[in-house]
Amino acid sequence: MTDEDRTAQTRYYLMTLARIAGAAGAVFGIVLLARAVEWPDKAIGLGLTLASLWEMAVVPRALAARWKSKPEP
């Protein structure tokens, strides 16, 4: 395996890890939202869920755009 292949594999794993972390945060937020009794606790669960969903959508794309190779002339 070449160095370029290892770099690409590492970057793929980091983007996948970002997606998994976002999904875990969203699930945790939903659990907090479902088990909360009072409004402030429900707001924390909702905020965590929305932030995690945003993270799942934005961070992997931002990493891919940052690591995108430049076209050769």
Side-chain angles (χ1 to χ4, degrees):
M1 190 181 288
T2 66
D3 285 339
E4 289 180 4
D5 291 339
R6 285 190 188 105
T7 302
Q9 184 180 24
T10 302
R11 290 176 176 179
Y12 172 78
Y13 288 146
L14 286 174
M15 287 190 298
T16 302
L17 181 64
R19 288 185 185 108
I20 291 172
V27 168
F28 183 64
I30 290 171
V31 168
L32 285 177
L33 187 61
R35 299 189 88 197
V37 177
E38 297 181 12
W39 174 245
D41 298 333
K42 288 185 182 242
I44 292 171
L46 180 64
L48 182 61
T49 302
L50 292 176
S52 297
L53 291 174
W54 180 84
E55 185 266 339
M56 284 175 52
V58 173
V59 171
R61 288 184 186 186
L63 290 174
R66 180 178 181 187
W67 293 329
K68 187 175 182 179
S69 59
K70 302 199 177 7
E72 295 183 20

